[in-house]
Each structure stands twice: as structure tokens, then as C-alpha cells.
């Protein structure tokens, strides 16, 4: 009896210790699960484009099978670096980062690599470092080519001397160069043959005969035409360009604008000028406000870059890296230090003619976000 009682006590003790070991293991497992496995760093909350990405990330992350955290850098490279450092401390295995400034972000990518973290450049390429493992992107050259094609398509056959205004993105963003390269590939022959006359960049006009620009040539043109991706800068630049030209440079104008936010600002400035009778203006991002502008005839086109695809490609690449697999590669982009593997996603041109099919019927935005949609 006594022995049985003793052995029961031993059994009980053993069970208690088994349960506590299990609980400890569970706690360990839980803390391993609770730590952030993937860090996502986006440039700013001040542009609807990046809120789109955040929203799409947050809905896809529910089923991604890993823990993740999204942080914003608010247009500040040092905040971006702090974000990356705190994610490294949280134990991330993969960093998905859209750099505020492509060159400045190299230090953050290096810090991540040093900690054994895989680095995925998201939408914008980090430059000047070998610490980038993959680039998830749209076909940015085609974005610019779509602007050029749209503007050329609006020129009456054979008409020369059409007024062209060029605006570009921030020089700190590698994409600004790629978009411009794409636009130049279509516009340059039309500037060279006199179809277009560049009204707001003597540097672009001086390079009219040069089909393939160097990065320095592009930097010179971007230096004159940049919006810094900032709506107020875009509006001010458009207004001062309009003040600087004679009415003969107005009438019908063709405006190569680099994204939706700046396109709306530039369009507002041109629309306010009485000497501008008709304007055609490009954009990108399919922002809700710009889709409404297109419906209302205030913006001519946008480029849909389906952020759902970009987000799912980024998540697939992150999962692949965590399993030790290399993500899909169809091409590579040189970042000034190495060729970074990538699989660029196709883009879609959206105009008044296909806006319903491309934006609403595709499920990108719900119809109730717009008025007068036919
Ligand atoms: C992105 C665009 C965006 C722009 C300004 C670019 O790098 O590709 O979609 O409009 O940055 O944020």
C-alpha cells in the first residue's frame, strides 16, 4: 500500500514535470512563433500608392503562414534604418523593403545581410550594394513606354510642333530613371523628328538626337523636371513652367507626368491656365482619386500596377527564402554593384475607354468608390 502510494506520488510528480516541460516547450514554440519572421518596410503613408500596398499586404498576410510586421519610413532614410534595425532585433529572417532613397538604403540592407537576413527590394531597387537578394517589381520600363505611346497616339497624323511637357519622379528613386528611360524610348524619335517640342526642359531638347541616354544625361533631365514625387512640388513646377512660356506653347499640350498624385496636381495647374485649351496627361498607380479624374475627363490615363500581384510575389519570395529556395527569376536589374534577380510583373494602360473593365470588373477597386462610372 505504502509502496503503491509512493509510486503514485512519483507518477504524479513525473506527470507534473512532463506537463511543465510541455508547457515550457509550448511557450518556447509560442515565442518563436510570436517573433516577427518577415519585416516589411514601406516608404511613406502620405501617398495612397503605399497605403494600397499596406492594405494588400495586411490582407494577404492573414494566410501567409508566417508572422510579419509592416513599418513606414515616412520619407526619412534614418527612420527607415531604425525600422530595419528594430526588425533585425525582433529576429526577422526576411526583409521586404521599398527604399525611400535607393542609395541611402544600402546601409540598411547591409545591416540586414550581416544579421543573416535575406533582403527583397520591393518596387524600388536598392542601389550600390551586394546585399540585395531579390527584386520584386513591375516592368517599370513599360510604364514609361505606356506614357509615351499614349501621348503619341493623341497627336493628329503628321502634325508637327506639338507642345510636350515632361515631369519626372524623385532622383533618389531608381524607378524614376527606368520610367523615364521607357518614356524616352518612345518620345525621343518624336522629339527628334519635330512631332513634339519640349517646352520645359532645355536639357531634354538638347539631347533630342540621342536615343540611348547615359545615367548622367537622365540625371540632368530629371534634375530639371523632377517632382520629387511631391504633389506641391509638382504643382509649383507646372505653374512656373506655364509662367515661363508664351501662349504659343500652350493651346493643346501633351504632359508626361510620372504618377497619379503628381499628375492630378499638374493637371490642376494646366487646367487653371486659360491659354491651355486641351491637355493630355499620363500617370500611374490607379489611385482612386485618379480613376475618378479619368472618369471625369481631368486625367487622360493611368497605369495599373496591380499591387495584389506584387504583394503575392513578395510573399512567395519570402516563403521561398525561409525554405532555402531561390525565387523565380526571368531577368535581372543591375543596381550599380550587382545584378539582382527579378521577375517583373506586366502593367496595364487604363483610359476612359477601359476604366470599368480594367479597374472595377477586375476587382481592383469597387464600383461604389466612384461616381458617374459608365
Ligand atoms: C513607384 C510608383 C510611385 C512612386 C512615388 C515609385 O517608385 O513605383 O508607383 O507612384 O514611387 O511614390
Amino acid at each position: 500500500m505504502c509502496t503503491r502510494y509512493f509510486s503514485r506520488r512519483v507518477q504524479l510528480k513525473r506527470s507534473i514535470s512532463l506537463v511543465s516541460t510541455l508547457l515550457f516547450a509550448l511557450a518556447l514554440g509560442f515565442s518563436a512563433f510570436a517573433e516577427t519572421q518577415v519585416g516589411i518596410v514601406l516608404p511613406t503613408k502620405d501617398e495612397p500608392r503605399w497605403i494600397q500596398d499596406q492594405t494588400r499586404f495586411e490582407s494577404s498576410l492573414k494566410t501567409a503562414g508566417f508572422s510579419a510586421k509592416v513599418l513606414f519610413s515616412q520619407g526619412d532614410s534614418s527612420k527607415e534604418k531604425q525600422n530595419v534595425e528594430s526588425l533585425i532585433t525582433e529576429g526577422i529572417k526576411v526583409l521586404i523593403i521599398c527604399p525611400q532613397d535607393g542609395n541611402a538604403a544600402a546601409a540598411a540592407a547591409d545591416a540586414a545581410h550581416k544579421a543573416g537576413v535575406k533582403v527583397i527590394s520591393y518596387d524600388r531597387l536598392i542601389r550600390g550594394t551586394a546585399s540585395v537578394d531579390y527584386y520584386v517589381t513591375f516592368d517599370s520600363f513599360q510604364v514609361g513606354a505606356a506614357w509615351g505611346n499614349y501621348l503619341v497616339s493623341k497627336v493628329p497624323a503628321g502634325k508637327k510642333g506639338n507642345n510636350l511637357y515632361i515631369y519626372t519622379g524623385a532622383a533618389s528613386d531608381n524607378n524614376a530613371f527606368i520610367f523615364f528611360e521607357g518614356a524616352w524610348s518612345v518620345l525621343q524619335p518624336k522629339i527628334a523628328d519635330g512631332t513634339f517640342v519640349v517646352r520645359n526642359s532645355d536639357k531634354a531638347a538638347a539631347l533630342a538626337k540621342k536615343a540611348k541616354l547615359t545615367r548622367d544625361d537622365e540625371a540632368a533631365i530629371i534634375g530639371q523636371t523632377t517632382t520629387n514625387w511631391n504633389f506641391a512640388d509638382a504643382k509649383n513646377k507646372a505653374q512656373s513652367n506655364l509662367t515661363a512660356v508664351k501662349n504659343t506653347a500652350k493651346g493643346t499640350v501633351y504632359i508626361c507626368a510620372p504618377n497619379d498624385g503628381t499628375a492630378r496636381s499638374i493637371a490642376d495647374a494646366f487646367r487653371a491656365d486659360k491659354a491651355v485649351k486641351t491637355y493630355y496627361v499620363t500617370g500611374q498607380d490607379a489611385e482612386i482619386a485618379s480613376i475618378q479624374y479619368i472618369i471625369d475627363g481631368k486625367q487622360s490615363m493611368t497605369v495599373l500596377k496591380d499591387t495584389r500581384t506584387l504583394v503575392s510575389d513578395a510573399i512567395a519570395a519570402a516563403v521561398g527564402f525561409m525554405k532555402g529556395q531561390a525565387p523565380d527569376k526571368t531577368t535581372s536589374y543591375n543596381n550599380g554593384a550587382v545584378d539582382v534577380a527579378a521577375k517583373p510583373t506586366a502593367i496595364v494602360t487604363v483610359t476612359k475607354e477601359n476604366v470599368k473593365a480594367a479597374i472595377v470588373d477586375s476587382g481592383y477597386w469597387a464600383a461604389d468608390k466612384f461616381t458617374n462610372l459608365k
Side-chain angles (χ1 to χ4, degrees), residues 49-50 53 98-99 121-126 135-149 167-170 173-186 215 218 222 229 256-259 282-285 301-307 310 330-334 342-349:
R49 159 67 215 266
W50 306 113
D53 296 73
C98 179
S121 223
Y122 180 84
D123 194 284
R124 298 177 179 169
L125 187 57
I126 298 176
Y135 182 28
V136 171
T137 183
F138 293 102
D139 192 336
S140 296
F141 183 92
Q142 290 306 329
V143 172
W147 301 336
N149 286 326
Y167 298 94
T168 50
D173 177 1
N174 191 56
N175 282 348
F177 288 78
I178 311 180
F179 299 143
F180 180 71
E181 236 173 80
W184 190 252
S185 73
V186 179
R215 198 166 172 100
E218 289 167 0
I222 291 174
W229 293 135
C256 188
N259 75 351
T282 62
Q284 67 166 315
D285 296 335
M301 64 89 87
T302 187
V303 175
L304 169 64
K305 304 200 301 185
D306 195 327
T307 45
L310 206 64
T330 54
T331 186
S332 59
Y333 288 76
N334 188 276
K343 185 182 72 116
T345 293
I347 52 97
V348 178
T349 297

Side-chain angles (χ1 to χ4, degrees), residues 13-46:
K13 262 186 154 176
R14 276 195 191 136
S15 322
I16 289 171
S17 95
L18 189 69
V19 168
S20 45
T21 313
L22 270 173
L23 280 174
F24 182 60
L26 266 176
L28 264 186
F30 180 74
S31 78
F33 179 71
E35 84 186 359
T36 310
Q37 291 166 291
V38 175
I40 300 159
V41 180
L42 296 175
T44 178
K45 274 190 178 168
D46 294 341

Side-chain angles (χ1 to χ4, degrees), residues 96-124:
I96 298 173
I97 174 169
C98 179
Q100 169 56 33
D101 175 314
N103 290 307
D110 290 345
H113 246 210
K114 218 170 150 199
V117 173
K118 290 283 185 192
V119 177
I120 300 174
S121 223
Y122 180 84
D123 194 284
R124 298 177 179 169

